[in-house]
């Protein structure tokens, strides 16, 4: 066994009842026995018992633990990256698995370094009022399968910093990655502070319904996010909901197509399009429509799809059959409607693995399902516009609003358009870049609550005013 395979072997259960397969090859990479709602109860018992002592530590002590957690992830970086490739499918190199692991380290350290001083609100001869941020108690952290380590880290790090303990439920599709992360972090964290529960939706539901869980950090689809709101209603739990997106990019006529091609590619195709805030619809003016498509197609053609273990691979397979079916259905529908397949769109189903080719679709109407629904795959529809007002209306014409982008040589003009787009973040001349000190969250059905930075710390705590 290679050294980097050890962690995956350790978290796999030899007598597990469900086989986990590599999405690139179909090969069995491990086994798990999924947990049950009873296991959730036991995990919350553990988290609730550990919480008072964790909250009683000083902020400096918890910061030190977060930095030690970052150190241990660095020590296991290659093993964690290998687990991601084998279970999730993304490439080891480039903006892939090693990049995801490095992000966990960076976010843990940044969360440890974020200052959250007591705020003095009023201080005069009549009153002195201070705002403090107290722990909530137990946080339920529920994650999807696309970025299994970094999204969990975004939920765990601020929760721990603020004196909460955490029960983490990974997606059933990336159970081994979830267990691997918790296993590594628990090499340095005190017992009971972080516990994993595995399983499907019923396990997530049991976690949300547990009355001792005061806060749910949920990242996933809009549909499940709505269920979480209902499931948590009886507890009035605090919620952070990071839900799906269908991000629009609006290109203005003044761009140089060759200069924006690389940024457009990474915006749309990072993690094979399986990214909440990926560029999922591109609006391009008639005057430069063909040139933008030519430049983007030329760049896209240079990025190889393949098994993520190959250091040269830029895009891996889709993670699961369900997502492959969504992508294939939307592309077939676009073709039936007479849209033009510029490249891709023709999967080779004779080979194992959930591979789907990089696909660009042109001359497609805004009302096509490929434009209106979230594809979450390596496919970008490119819609032609002649009137910028129409493009803005189309960009705002869906229920979700996670991210958006404006592409222009004129920054001021781009900012004017950005202010009119209904999204939690609007990038200019780029798409999807995030930073641990810059809050991130959705508009409309993409959810509510902010992650990262000071706002992220506040969202996992109870504000308390001390006055007098
Ligand atoms: P799902 O909503 O299907 O699942 C998310 C998590 O919720 C999984 O762990 C899932 O378990 C669990 N779950 C399922 N049912 C329930 C329930 N009733 N109560 C509580 N938890 C439940 O999303 P996907 O895993 O399919 O992830 C893809 C989606 O996530 C995309 O739509 C994407 O846009 C969105 N996303 C949003 C991000 C953001 O920051 N806004 C980031 C990444 C993804 P199980 O999988 O085992 O069923």
């Amino acid at each position: 066994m290679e050294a980097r395979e050890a962690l995956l072997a350790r978290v796999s259960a030899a007598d597990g009842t469900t086989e986990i397969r590599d999405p690139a090859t179909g090969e069995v990479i491990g086994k798990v026995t999924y947990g049950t709602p009873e296991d959730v109860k036991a995990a919350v018992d553990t988290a609730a018992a550990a919480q008072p002592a964790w909250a009683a530590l000083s902020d400096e002590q918890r910061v030190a633990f977060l930095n030690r957690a970052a150190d241990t992830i660095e020590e296991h970086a290659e093993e964690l990256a290998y687990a991601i490739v084998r279970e999730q499918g993304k490439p080891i190199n480039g903006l892939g698995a090693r990049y995801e692991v490095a992000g966990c380290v960076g976010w843990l350290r940044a969360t440890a370094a974020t200052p959250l001083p007591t705020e003095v609100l009023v201080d005069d001869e009549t009153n002195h009022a201070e705002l403090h941020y107290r722990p909530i108690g137990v946080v339920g952290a529920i994650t999807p399968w696309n970025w299994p380590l970094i999204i969990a880290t975004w939920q765990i790090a601020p929760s721990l910093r603020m004196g909460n303990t955490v029960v983490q439920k990974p997606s059933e599709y990336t159970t081994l990655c979830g267990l691997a992360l918790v296993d590594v972090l628990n090499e340095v964290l005190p017992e009971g502070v972080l516990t994993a529960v595995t399983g499907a939706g019923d396990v997530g539901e049991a976690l949300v319904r547990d009355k001792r869980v005061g806060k749910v950090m949920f990242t996933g689809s809009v549909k499940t996010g709505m269920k979480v709101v209902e499931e948590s209603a009886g507890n009035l739990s605090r919620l952070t909901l990071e839900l799906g997106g269908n991000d629009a990019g609006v290109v203005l006529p003044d761009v140089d197509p060759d200069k924006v091609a690389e940024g457009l590619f990474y915006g749309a195709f990072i993690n094979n399009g399986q990214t909440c805030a990926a560029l999922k619809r591109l609006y391009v003016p008639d005057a430069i429509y063909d040139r933008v498509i030519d430049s983007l197609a030329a760049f896209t053609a240079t990025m190889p799809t393949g098994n993520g273990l190959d250091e040269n691979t830029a895009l891996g397979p889709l993670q699961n059959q369900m997502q492959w079916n969504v992508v294939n259905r939307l592309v077939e529908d676009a073709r039936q409607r007479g849209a033009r397949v510029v490249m891709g769109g023709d999967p080779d189903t004779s080979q194992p693995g959930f591979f789907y080719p990089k696909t660009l679709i042109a001359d497609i109407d805004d009302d096509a399902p490929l434009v209106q629904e979230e594809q979450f795959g390596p496919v970008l529809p490119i819609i032609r516009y002649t009137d910028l007002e129409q493009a803005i209306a189309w960009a705002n014409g869906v229920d979700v609003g996670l991210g958006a982008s404006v592409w222009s040589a004129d920054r001021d003009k781009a900012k004017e358009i950005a202010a009119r787009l209904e999204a939690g973040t609007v990038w200019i001349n780029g798409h999807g870049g995030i930073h641990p000190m810059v809050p991130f969250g959705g508009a409309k059905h993409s959810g509510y609550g902010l992650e990262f930075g000071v706002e992220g710390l506040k969202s996992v705590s109870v504000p308390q005013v001390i006055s007098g």
Side-chain angles (χ1 to χ4, degrees):
M1 183 167 56
E2 280 184 60
R4 63 180 179 171
E5 295 174 18
L7 177 61
L8 199 52
R10 190 158 83 230
V11 296
S12 170
D15 57 352
T17 51
T18 301
E19 290 178 337
I20 306 289
R21 291 176 184 273
D22 183 329
T25 61
E27 189 192 335
V28 175
I29 57 161
K31 287 185 191 173
V32 294
T33 299
Y34 288 129
T36 63
E38 274 307 299
D39 294 319
V40 172
K41 187 177 171 306
V44 180
D45 287 345
T46 301
Q51 199 268 334
W54 178 248
L57 296 181
S58 67
D59 187 47
E60 290 72 26
Q61 286 170 310
R62 287 194 298 268
V63 160
F65 272 112
L66 288 193
N67 281 317
R68 259 179 267 160
D71 294 341
T72 190
I73 290 192
E74 269 180 326
E75 282 156 26
H76 291 282
E78 194 61 16
E79 289 172 282
L80 288 164
Y82 178 81
I84 296 173
V85 177
R86 294 307 307 273
E87 190 181 41
Q88 200 281 331
K90 67 177 57 115
I92 188 102
N93 220 340
L95 299 183
R98 288 189 189 120
Y99 170 79
E100 180 169 358
V101 175
C104 297
V105 174
W107 248 271
L108 278 160
R109 293 207 195 286
T111 307
T114 304
L116 185 57
T118 299
E119 293 167 40
V120 176
L121 305 170
V122 181
D123 187 24
D124 59 25
E125 52 293 342
T126 60
N127 195 5
H128 180 88
E130 294 174 349
L131 184 55
H132 297 256
Y133 291 92
R134 307 295 187 203
I136 296 172
V138 178
V139 171
I142 302 178
T143 44
W145 45 261
N146 53 345
W147 292 90
L149 263 59
I150 187 101
I151 293 176
T153 303
W154 292 341
Q155 300 178 345
I156 294 166
S159 300
L160 293 184
R161 166 80 193 275
M162 297 311 292
N164 308 288
T165 53
V166 178
V167 177
Q168 211 275 305
K169 199 241 85 28
S171 164
E172 66 191 294
Y173 293 104
T174 46
T175 301
L176 293 172
C177 284
L179 292 175
L181 177 70
V182 169
D183 187 274
V184 167
L185 292 175
N186 276 334
E187 286 184 5
V188 298
L189 292 175
E191 210 178 322
V193 161
L194 173 64
T195 312
V197 284
T198 64
D202 59 327
V203 170
E205 177 173 355
L207 183 58
V208 176
R209 286 191 185 278
D210 193 304
K211 293 207 176 308
R212 296 164 299 168
V213 173
K215 165 90 193 188
V216 178
M217 303 277 290
F218 175 84
T219 301
S221 62
V222 175
K223 197 168 143 217
T224 311
M226 288 179 176
K227 284 190 200 162
V228 167
V229 173
E230 287 177 14
E231 291 160 5
S232 65
N235 300 337
L236 282 179
S237 325
R238 292 170 153 77
L239 301 177
T240 295
L241 300 174
E242 294 286 0
L243 309 180
N246 190 0
D247 291 11
V250 179
V251 176
L252 302 190
D254 63 4
V255 304
D256 176 343
D258 287 339
K259 284 200 181 141
V260 295
E262 183 173 351
L264 290 173
F265 170 82
Y266 282 110
F269 288 89
I270 184 169
N271 199 27
N272 224 10
Q274 302 164 112
T275 298
C276 51
L279 172 57
K280 292 171 182 150
R281 314 172 271 153
L282 186 64
Y283 297 92
V284 178
D286 189 38
I288 55 168
Y289 190 77
D290 292 334
R291 287 171 51 221
V292 168
I293 289 177
D294 288 349
S295 297
L296 179 55
F299 187 86
T300 304
T302 65
M303 304 306 281
T305 296
N307 188 316
L309 288 177
D310 181 337
E311 298 276 345
N312 296 315
T313 292
L315 303 179
L318 287 162
Q319 203 277 330
N320 55 64
Q321 184 72 57
M322 170 190 73
Q323 200 57 46
W324 192 97
N325 292 346
V326 169
V327 170
N328 193 49
R329 168 177 64 81
L330 292 171
V331 172
E332 279 314 305
D333 174 88
R335 203 196 303 268
Q336 297 291 319
R337 288 165 181 266
R340 175 162 58 98
V341 180
V342 176
M343 66 189 296
D346 196 10
D348 177 2
T349 48
S350 68
Q351 300 298 318
F354 305 123
F355 287 101
Y356 199 92
K358 302 158 292 188
T359 300
L360 296 176
I361 304 280
D363 298 329
I364 182 165
D365 291 337
D366 186 66
D367 62 2
L370 177 59
V371 181
Q372 293 296 311
E373 294 176 29
E374 184 186 32
Q375 67 276 46
F376 223 57
V379 180
L380 183 65
I382 305 162
I383 305 102
R384 188 192 300 264
Y385 76 84
T386 47
D387 171 7
L388 181 58
E389 290 303 315
Q390 176 68 79
I392 294 169
W394 279 336
N396 289 335
V398 295
D399 285 343
V400 286
L402 191 56
S405 54
V406 183
W407 303 73
S408 172
D410 179 345
R411 244 191 120 61
D412 291 335
K413 174 80 178 161
K415 278 171 82 174
E416 258 174 54
I417 308 298
R420 297 177 58 197
L421 296 179
E422 296 164 358
T425 303
V426 185
W427 291 278
I428 293 172
N429 294 329
H431 198 112
I434 49 173
H435 187 285
M437 299 309 291
V438 179
F440 180 75
K444 304 201 280 190
H445 285 185
S446 290
Y448 47 75
L450 290 169
E451 293 187 282
F452 312 162
V454 175
E455 297 301 328
L457 293 182
K458 290 179 179 175
S459 80
V460 282
S461 50
V462 183
Q464 183 192 43
V465 172
I466 296 185
S467 179

